[in-house]
């Protein structure tokens, strides 16, 4: 055999060996792919939001007011929320949510970039713990037992203390459902050296079984070195099938003199009545009793109809009225903003016609 023949045999043997190795690797890879479980996405990100706009005609005690208003029955907003699977039933999670006024394009919540809520944390079978800017546990309870929420049409939204609905610099925990019970707790750091001023803490317990829902909530906020605001709430709701009814009672106590005190209590009784597959009526009546100042009581009545054009788009119309005593000046708030300023003792009213679209 000459040199050329011997070289050809060597090249052929090498090619055969290489082909055999590639074939073996391909078989092993195919078997691994066949036996491995299907891939599960380890993380997800969702962009979401609401644009809500309404034409409002209001009476304030100082004359009439017509305006285009944003965030009436749903706060106009956009946000991102996501999770990452950490394995073993554990996950990381976050929410970044900004409010805006659709009528002007301005940021909501006093101009904060992400004023509605922003937090990050961990969750699992033990519950969920997050850090950032949150809705308070008191807000969650108010929204749960004021049917349709703290929005236009709910007396609780007219009488609530709007300064304690969210808390920055806060930790919030929510338990899993434990035989119908859910427990929440939160703490907001005051972040003042050597002082507890501006700190806030609270918690809630809710129970749901069949048509019943019951809840209790409390919260305490240190406003100054000599004052602490204390809030408490009891709520109940029952679904009759043809209608759902709810009742809540909320109280506030403080250590301030009567002239500046916000002590008082209010209740709201509300009912929602479905109308076919797309419509719903809301009827709300509530009353406030000021416990520190005379003639500071008020009563509120609202009726609203919501009609869904699709899963994302809703039309609504409503009429509401407040009767303030001589020392009270409550106004008809929307989901996002305070209502127009009214005179003490006035009887403000509001008529709205709007559209809300969620994406």
């Amino acid at each position: 055999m000459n040199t050329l023949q011997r070289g050809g045999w060597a090249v052929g043997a090498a090619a055969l060996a290489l082909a055999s190795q590639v074939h073996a690797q391909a078989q092993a890879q195919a078997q691994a792919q066949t036996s491995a479980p299907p891939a599960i996405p380890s993380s997800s990100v969702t962009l979401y939001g609401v644009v809500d706009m309404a034409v409002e005609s209001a009476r304030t005690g100082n004359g009439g007011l017509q305006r285009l208003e944003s965030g009436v029955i749903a706060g106009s907003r956009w946000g991102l929320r996501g999770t990452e699977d950490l394995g073993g039933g554990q996950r990381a999670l976050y929410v970044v949510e900004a409010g805006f006024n659709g009528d002007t394009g301005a940021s909501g919540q006093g101009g904060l970039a992400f004023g509605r809520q922003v937090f990050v944390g961990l969750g699992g079978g033990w519950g969920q713990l997050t850090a950032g800017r949150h809705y308070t546990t008191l807000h969650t309870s108010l929204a749960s037992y004021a049917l349709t929420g703290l929005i236009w049409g709910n007396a609780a939204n007219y009488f609530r203390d709007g300064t304690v609905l969210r808390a920055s610099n806060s930790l919030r925990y929510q338990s899993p459902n434990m035989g119908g019970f859910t427990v929440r707790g939160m703490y907001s750091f005051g972040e003042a050296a050597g002082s507890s001023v501006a700190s806030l803490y609270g918690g809630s317990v809710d129970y749901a079984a069949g048509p019943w829902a019951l809840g209790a909530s409390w919260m305490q906020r240190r406003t100054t070195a000599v004052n602490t605001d204390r809030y408490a709430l009891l709520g109940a709701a029952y679904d009759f099938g043809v209608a759902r009814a709810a009742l809540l009672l909320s109280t506030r106590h403080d250590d301030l003199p009567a002239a500046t005190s916000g002590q008082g209590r209010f209740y709201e009784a509300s009912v929602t009545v479905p109308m076919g597959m797309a419509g719903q009526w809301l009827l709300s009546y509530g009353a406030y009793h000021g416990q520190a100042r005379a003639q500071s009581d008020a009563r509120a009545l609202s009726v609203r109809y919501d009609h869904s054009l699709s899963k994302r788009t809703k039309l609504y119309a409503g009429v509401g009225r407040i009767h303030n005593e001589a020392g009270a000046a409550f106004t008809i708030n929307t989901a996002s903003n305070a209502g127009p300023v009214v005179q003490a003792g006035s009887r403000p009213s509001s008529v709205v016609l709007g559209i809300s679209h969620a994406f």
Side-chain angles (χ1 to χ4, degrees), residues 127-149:
Q128 178 175 301
L129 178 64
T130 53
R133 176 173 169 86
H134 300 89
Y135 290 109
T136 64
T137 52
L138 181 70
H139 175 284
T140 301
S141 296
L142 283 166
S144 297
Y145 300 102
L147 294 185
T148 75

Side-chain angles (χ1 to χ4, degrees), residues 38-44 83-86:
I40 299 175
S42 60
S43 63
S44 66
T83 62
E84 181 188 17
D85 185 359
L86 301 177

Side-chain angles (χ1 to χ4, degrees), residues 35-274:
S35 59
I40 299 175
S42 60
S43 63
S44 66
V45 180
T46 301
L47 170 67
Y48 66 94
V50 176
V51 182
D52 181 289
M53 303 288 290
V55 174
E56 180 183 24
S57 178
R59 303 290 296 182
T60 67
N62 295 316
L65 172 66
Q66 288 74 46
R67 62 179 181 171
L68 183 66
E69 182 69 357
S70 174
V72 176
I73 70 164
S76 295
R77 77 200 77 163
W78 73 272
L80 295 170
R81 58 173 171 255
T83 62
E84 181 188 17
D85 185 359
L86 301 177
Q90 308 302 306
R91 68 186 185 279
L93 58 104
Y94 67 89
V95 168
V96 178
E97 186 176 284
F100 61 87
N101 293 308
D103 53 333
T104 64
S107 296
Q109 291 76 52
L112 295 177
F114 297 102
R116 288 185 63 87
Q117 52 181 342
V118 53
F119 57 78
V120 65
L122 298 173
W126 48 268
Q128 178 175 301
L129 178 64
T130 53
R133 176 173 169 86
H134 300 89
Y135 290 109
T136 64
T137 52
L138 181 70
H139 175 284
T140 301
S141 296
L142 283 166
S144 297
Y145 300 102
L147 294 185
T148 75
L150 286 181
I151 63 178
W152 190 103
N154 287 101
N157 191 43
Y158 310 155
F159 299 143
R160 85 291 187 274
D161 179 355
T163 67
V164 294
L165 301 184
R166 295 179 177 89
S168 299
N169 310 310
S170 59
L171 300 172
R172 176 169 163 145
Y173 170 76
Q174 178 171 317
S175 76
N177 187 307
M178 302 174 292
F181 286 93
T182 301
V183 177
R184 299 178 182 90
M186 75 176 305
Y187 179 79
S188 174
F189 296 87
E191 301 194 352
S195 172
S196 62
V197 172
S199 64
L200 176 153
Y201 60 91
S204 65
V205 179
D206 292 282
Y207 177 74
W212 278 104
L214 304 169
S217 182
W218 62 273
M219 191 171 72
Q220 183 166 302
R221 178 181 63 168
R222 187 76 166 170
T223 61
T224 69
V226 295
N227 180 67
T228 299
D229 291 338
R230 296 172 291 275
Y231 303 82
L233 179 144
L234 294 174
Y238 188 85
D239 193 341
F240 294 92
V242 296
R244 186 166 184 255
L247 177 68
L248 69 82
L249 171 65
S250 181
T251 65
R252 173 184 172 179
H253 296 279
D254 57 41
D255 305 314
L256 298 171
T260 57
S261 174
Q263 288 195 93
R265 64 175 181 268
F266 69 83
Y267 73 86
E268 180 189 21
S270 58
V271 60
T272 55
V273 182

Side-chain angles (χ1 to χ4, degrees), residues 19-33:
S20 299
Q21 183 177 3
V22 170
H23 179 70
Q25 289 177 344
Q27 282 188 320
Q29 185 176 3
Q31 291 175 353
Q33 290 176 344

